[in-house]
Amino acid sequence: MTKVLCVLYDDPVDGYPRSYARDDIPKLERYPDGQTLPTPSAIDFKPGQLLGSVSGELGLRKFLEDQGHTLVVTSDKDGPNSRFERELPDADVVISQPFWPAYLTEERIKKAKKLKLAITAGIGSDHVDLQAAMERSITVAEVTFCNSISVSEHVVMMILALVRNYIPSYQWVVKGGWNIADCVERSYDFEGMNVGTVAAGRIGLAVLRRLKPFDVKLHYMDRHRLPEKVEKELGLTYHPNVESMVKVCDVVTINCPLHPETEHMFNDELLSKMKRGSYIVNTARGKICDRDAIVRALKSGQIAGYAGDVWFPQPPPQDHPWRTMPHHGMTPHISGTSLSAQARYAAGTREIIEAFLGGKPIRDEYLIVDEGKLAGTGAHSYSAGDATKGSEEAARYEKV
Ligand code: NDP
């Protein structure tokens, strides 16, 4: 029988919801590129429920226990005495979400003697030491496309929030003020600006498509070029490297995975090449930016604003400087875990487990590592290596 160890974020502080703000979520037929939505044999939850927190259990308990398997669900994931680390030695499958990642470092993989499959309930498997997973022939799979559109919507929101100075203006209202000059001294129109995305994969391309109606000038850089038809349709300027793109952009959005090639891509040197007063929106991974270089660039005015929902490590300790740096629009990691997205990645996680338990192949597009090498989406979008170093710091976080 299989032991599935699942790490999820905590329930709301007031307890697991008994009712919801809305009664349903839209039913989608397909993803924009034609890929089918998850196809598990069944689901044991109502789409729109909170599934990503401990009591939601990704809707997996009944399905697994009916077949005699064991499901352990915990949010206690950091440090050597965490429940995650105690349960790891005899776990066959680990499930974790990027929002509250159970870092599978080389050291932990060594302890996980029985581990065969690490599932990311979401997208982005950088919390797993992919090099160590390859060496141990552990399969790493994620639910490709499940929340790419969710994130692209968030990116548009954050770009507008920064450029138009939304968050400080909202705060003046809450404080009881009517301080129009204070609100607008950093407020601009987005129209006409140059906007560039680092990577034009599922999220990056969706962001470009959503930004087109704002009459902005669109740029992208990626390792593979988009089809000429798409470049023409959206009026895109392609840049072979990130330096050439950031030099001309007023807004830069980061949408590539974190892997050794992209770790700390936005360091002091690259930031110094950006247009003074540009904005960065990073919903990809915190570690793609050098933490302290971002703070320095905001303080000096080299960049006018930074927003995103991804940090390193997660959760970030209370003294993480991005909590207090000037002109930021940071949230906890939420863009890919709307209730709508949860329904898709819970179903996708079940699809992956069903394939694993039934001895059937996991969809190629879900694979990051398989049979000792990068595979599927992993082979296209990642490079070999490890990006988990420093994740132990997550143990310093204290709940508020
Ligand atoms: P995709 O795999 O569709 O796209 C990733 C793109 O990044 C690919 O086009 C890939 O290029 C490109 N890329 C990889 N390395 C580089 C590089 N060195 N320079 C430039 N481009 C590069 O994934 P998604 O768009 O769906 O997701 C992207 C990332 O966003 C995820 O890996 C994850 O980290 C993050 N994410 C965040 C979420 C959140 O909640 N905040 C939720 C979902 C994802 P190519 O394949 O052409 O080589």
Side-chain angles (χ1 to χ4, degrees):
M1 286 294 112
T2 298
K3 174 174 168 181
V4 178
L5 175 55
C6 182
V7 174
L8 300 176
Y9 44 78
D10 285 315
D11 286 346
V13 287
D14 294 332
Y16 192 72
R18 276 182 257 170
S19 64
Y20 290 89
R22 296 176 50 78
D23 298 325
D24 60 7
I25 56 172
K27 196 168 171 352
L28 306 180
E29 298 305 327
R30 279 184 179 270
Y31 293 116
D33 69 350
Q35 183 188 313
T36 51
L37 270 83
T39 51
S41 61
I43 52 168
D44 297 318
F45 59 85
K46 184 170 180 285
Q49 282 177 341
L50 180 60
L51 300 165
S53 75
V54 171
S55 297
E57 301 182 322
L58 293 177
L60 291 173
R61 187 168 296 280
K62 182 174 180 313
F63 156 69
L64 288 170
E65 290 186 347
D66 280 358
Q67 296 183 40
H69 303 301
T70 305
L71 175 66
V72 175
V73 180
T74 181
S75 65
D76 182 19
K77 69 181 185 73
D78 294 306
N81 298 320
S82 60
R83 174 126 189 250
F84 175 64
E85 208 150 322
R86 282 184 279 122
E87 298 279 358
L88 197 53
D90 62 346
D92 301 282
V93 178
V94 163
I95 305 173
S96 169
Q97 301 172 109
F99 324 104
W100 187 255
Y103 291 105
L104 265 177
T105 56
E106 184 181 14
E107 208 184 5
R108 283 175 158 181
I109 285 179
K110 274 193 193 131
K111 289 185 189 167
K113 300 267 182 253
K114 292 183 68 191
L115 188 63
K116 293 168 205 68
L117 173 65
I119 303 177
T120 303
I123 301 174
S125 298
D126 50 276
H127 58 281
V128 179
D129 178 339
L130 298 180
Q131 190 61 41
M134 285 188 265
E135 284 159 18
R136 263 280 308 281
S137 280
I138 294 167
T139 297
V140 181
E142 57 186 49
V143 191
T144 301
F145 230 140
C146 65
N147 54 14
S148 304
I149 301 302
S150 325
V151 177
S152 70
E153 292 182 359
H154 210 83
V155 172
V156 175
M157 175 184 80
M158 288 189 146
I159 291 175
L160 293 174
L162 286 183
V163 173
R164 302 205 56 91
N165 208 33
Y166 171 66
I167 298 167
S169 309
Y170 170 79
Q171 283 162 347
W172 276 113
V173 171
V174 174
K175 282 188 281 194
W178 190 256
N179 299 48
I180 293 172
D182 292 280
C183 298
V184 300
E185 68 174 345
R186 296 181 70 88
S187 174
Y188 297 88
D189 286 355
F190 182 43
E191 183 184 24
M193 285 190 171
N194 282 280
V195 192
T197 172
V198 178
R202 292 171 182 83
I203 298 174
L205 180 58
V207 169
L208 293 168
R209 287 196 185 288
R210 278 154 183 74
L211 293 182
K212 169 93 175 131
F214 284 95
D215 290 331
V216 288
K217 298 175 196 98
L218 297 171
H219 303 252
Y220 80 102
M221 67 77 65
D222 198 299
R223 300 191 300 192
H224 299 89
R225 209 158 161 169
L226 289 166
E228 207 183 324
K229 188 170 152 279
V230 177
E231 287 192 354
K232 278 213 175 104
E233 176 199 337
L234 298 175
L236 303 179
T237 304
Y238 172 73
H239 295 262
N241 57 62
V242 69
E243 288 81 6
S244 122
M245 188 179 81
V246 299
K247 268 198 320 218
V248 297
C249 282
D250 304 285
V251 180
V252 173
T253 153
I254 304 173
N255 298 298
C256 55
L258 168 64
H259 55 99
E261 264 178 31
T262 61
E263 186 169 336
H264 291 163
M265 181 189 266
F266 282 75
N267 54 17
D268 284 312
E269 198 191 340
L270 186 63
L271 289 163
S272 73
K273 293 182 179 153
M274 295 184 75
K275 274 181 76 173
R276 193 191 81 83
S278 46
Y279 305 88
I280 297 176
V281 169
N282 176 13
T283 51
R285 285 296 179 261
K287 223 187 192 184
I288 297 170
C289 294
D290 174 327
R291 184 191 74 176
D292 297 334
I294 293 293
V295 179
R296 283 190 285 274
L298 282 168
K299 285 189 175 161
S300 71
Q302 174 58 11
I303 58 173
Y306 182 96
D309 65 335
V310 286
W311 308 62
F312 189 79
Q314 289 187 180
Q318 272 66 17
D319 60 2
H320 192 296
W322 288 8
R323 292 183 186 273
T324 48
M325 63 191 179
H327 313 303
H328 81 77
M330 295 300 296
T331 63
H333 192 165
I334 56 163
S335 62
T337 185
S338 57
L339 295 175
S340 325
Q342 289 174 41
R344 290 187 293 272
Y345 69 67
T349 300
R350 174 149 168 186
E351 179 188 336
I352 293 169
I353 297 182
E354 283 181 2
F356 171 76
L357 294 174
K360 300 203 176 100
I362 295 169
R363 279 199 219 191
D364 201 49
E365 65 251 36
Y366 289 170
L367 291 174
I368 302 300
V369 167
D370 197 34
E371 296 179 344
K373 53 186 190 318
L374 293 172
T377 295
H380 204 270
S381 294
Y382 283 77
S383 58
D386 169 34
T388 64
K389 293 217 166 40
S391 56
E392 324 71 59
E393 229 214 349
R396 286 211 297 116
Y397 172 76
E398 285 162 33
K399 277 184 199 173
V400 288

